[in-house]
């Protein structure tokens, strides 16, 4: 076997002496590293006799065990080989590392992870219920400008169940076409669904005139309703939810029918005021995500 830029290959040699022609063949192989972690692959049909097979599971210099199972016309044979990769020259797209997963305030899932700043286009993470990631239950791609070494993963979007074991991994995108290998896989247990109190709010939609009375809601431009926050008080980064626990984005607003003014169903929420917790402040909302992204500067409802 040879290693170059983390590409490890093995040559498949097998003798098939039956007079019957090969009608079906499958190669199934498993790569196990020194930590005991293994990755399994299947090639169907199996490579022809004498061909080389690239072992995709090699990401770093280590001791590995290769279990190769070959099935031809229903006949199966297996061989186990141990081998050492002494050097693996990674590409410039370095694999990120997940440093810690823990539950934060309001049972948010907090991920501390490190991504190399060179050639940083985006970073992607995936969450699944099994460590081989056959079925992804939650994923996100974070662009370089939005990257934060501590990622807050919300539970209230409905993709994650409470008090459930999950696995998470991440990889870096150095460009639209160059992607790193997957990081270490971390096992964690989710927390509880957030049970925040229902808050009275005044909202304005995208393209509304901000000078309309969002402070006291005395005209028809303002939507006076009730919302839930994923934090105890509104702040930049807080997510806004409908009272049914769904994010207050356009798609979910439309599902409420006639109780929501059409302009919010079409354009989303742009500004919001929380009457009881921070009554003098107006917050800027990103309609696509229902996230508070800023406050309206030099504006105070107490002066209105």
């Amino acid at each position: 076997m040879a290693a170059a830029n983390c590409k490890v290959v093995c040559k498949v040699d097998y003798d098939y002496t039956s007079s019957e022609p090969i009608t079906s063949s499958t190669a199934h192989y498993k790569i196990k590293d020194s930590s005991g972690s293994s990755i399994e692959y299947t090639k169907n049909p199996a490579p022809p006799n004498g061909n080389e097979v690239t072992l995709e599971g090699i990401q770093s210099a280590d001791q590995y065990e290769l279990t190769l199972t070959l099935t031809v016309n229903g006949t199966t044979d297996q061989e186990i080989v141990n081998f050492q990769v002494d050097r693996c020259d990674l590409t410039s797209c370095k694999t990120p590392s997940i440093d810690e997963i823990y539950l934060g305030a309001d049972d948010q899932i907090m991920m501390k992870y490190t991504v190399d700043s060179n050639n940083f286009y985006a970073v992607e993470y995936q969450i699944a219920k099994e460590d081989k990631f056959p079925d992804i239950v939650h994923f996100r791609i974070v662009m370089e400008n939005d990257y934060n070494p501590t990622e807050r993963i919300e539970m209230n979007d409905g993709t994650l169940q409470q008090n459930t074991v999950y696995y998470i991994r991440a990889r870096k995108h150095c460009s639209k076409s160059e992607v790193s290998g997957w990081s270490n896989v971390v096992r964690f247990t989710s927390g509880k669904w957030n049970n925040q109190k229902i808050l009275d709010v005044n909202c304005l939609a995208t393209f509304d005139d901000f000078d309309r009375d969002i402070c006291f809601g005395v005209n028809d431009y303002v939507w006076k309703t009730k919302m839930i926050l994923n934090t105890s008080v509104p702040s930049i980064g807080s997510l806004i939810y409908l009272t049914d626990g769904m994010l207050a984005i356009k798609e979910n607003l439309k599902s409420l029918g006639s109780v929501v003014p059409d302009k919010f169903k079409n354009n989303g929420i742009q500004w919001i005021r929380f009457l009881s917790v921070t009554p003098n402040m107006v917050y800027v909302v990103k309609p696509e995500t229902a996230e508070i992204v800023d406050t309206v500067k030099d504006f105070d409802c107490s002066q209105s």
Side-chain angles (χ1 to χ4, degrees):
M1 294 188 179
N5 295 325
C6 285
K7 293 182 179 178
V8 179
V9 299
C10 69
K11 188 176 181 180
V12 179
D13 288 316
Y14 55 93
D15 294 323
Y16 182 75
T17 56
S18 172
S19 60
E20 295 292 328
I22 296 177
T23 57
S24 64
S25 62
T26 303
H28 182 82
Y29 64 96
K30 179 170 68 174
I31 299 291
K32 181 187 292 185
D33 61 23
S34 60
S35 69
S37 298
S38 61
I39 305 176
E40 298 185 16
Y41 299 90
T42 299
K43 291 189 178 296
N44 190 358
N49 183 31
N51 275 32
E52 291 184 340
V53 176
T54 299
L55 305 180
E56 293 95 334
I58 308 299
Q59 292 296 330
S60 61
D62 201 350
Q63 178 74 35
Y64 292 92
E65 178 184 278
L66 169 65
T67 301
L68 176 63
T69 304
L70 184 68
T71 301
V72 178
N73 286 6
T75 300
T76 298
D77 194 13
Q78 186 180 85
E79 185 171 351
I80 299 176
V81 178
N82 291 285
F83 63 95
Q84 174 77 38
V85 177
D86 294 321
R87 187 181 65 196
C88 189
D89 298 323
L90 296 174
T91 68
S92 59
C93 197
K94 297 184 67 174
T95 301
S97 63
I98 299 176
D99 307 312
E100 185 180 8
I101 299 286
Y102 62 96
L103 293 179
D106 306 311
D107 289 317
Q108 294 166 334
I109 299 165
M110 311 297 289
M111 174 176 66
K112 289 186 176 181
Y113 65 142
T114 303
V115 182
D116 182 72
S117 60
N118 294 320
N119 302 321
F120 192 171
Y121 177 73
V123 62
E124 170 189 3
Y125 63 84
Q126 298 178 341
I127 298 176
K129 287 188 175 182
E130 298 180 32
D131 59 2
K132 299 300 184 296
F133 292 81
D135 298 303
I136 309 302
V137 298
H138 181 87
F139 77 94
R140 187 185 178 200
I141 294 178
V142 181
M143 305 306 294
E144 184 269 339
N145 290 337
D146 297 325
Y147 166 70
N148 188 311
T150 300
E151 173 77 0
R152 182 182 60 210
I153 303 169
E154 300 297 338
M155 285 192 57
N156 280 5
D157 64 359
T159 58
L160 300 178
Q161 301 172 8
Q162 62 178 348
N163 296 322
T164 301
V165 173
Y166 289 106
Y167 297 85
I168 189 167
R169 65 182 181 180
R171 64 180 178 180
K172 177 186 174 185
H173 293 248
C174 289
S175 67
K176 292 183 178 179
S177 58
E178 187 179 8
V179 182
S180 77
W182 287 107
S183 72
N184 55 312
V185 175
V186 177
R187 182 182 186 272
F188 68 94
T189 302
S190 60
K192 299 177 181 178
W193 275 82
N194 200 3
N195 293 315
Q196 295 292 336
K197 62 181 179 180
I198 297 174
L199 303 172
D200 291 313
V201 298
N202 288 347
C203 303
L204 286 176
T206 306
F207 307 123
D208 273 348
D209 181 356
F210 178 72
D211 290 335
R212 300 285 179 174
D213 194 3
I214 191 172
C215 287
F216 303 105
V218 296
N219 58 59
D220 293 337
Y221 279 79
V222 177
W223 179 29
K224 295 182 287 186
T225 186
K226 296 181 183 295
M227 297 284 182
I228 299 173
L229 280 174
N230 69 321
T231 53
S232 56
V233 295
S235 59
I236 294 175
S238 297
L239 292 177
I240 304 166
Y241 293 87
L242 304 172
T243 54
D244 62 1
M246 300 298 289
L247 275 171
I249 56 177
K250 289 187 291 185
E251 291 79 2
N252 295 331
L253 292 171
K254 289 177 182 178
S255 68
L256 296 182
S258 60
V259 300
V260 179
D262 287 341
K263 63 179 181 178
F264 290 95
K265 290 186 284 187
N266 295 330
N267 303 319
I269 298 171
Q270 182 72 72
W271 294 284
I272 191 168
R273 172 183 176 243
F274 298 88
L275 279 64
S276 59
V277 288
T278 53
N280 297 331
M281 300 184 68
V282 176
Y283 299 89
V284 182
V285 181
K286 187 176 182 180
E288 297 81 7
T289 60
E291 179 183 6
I292 294 176
V293 295
D294 205 352
T295 58
V296 179
K297 301 295 191 295
D298 300 321
F299 186 86
D300 187 339
C301 281
S302 67
Q303 307 300 319
S304 300

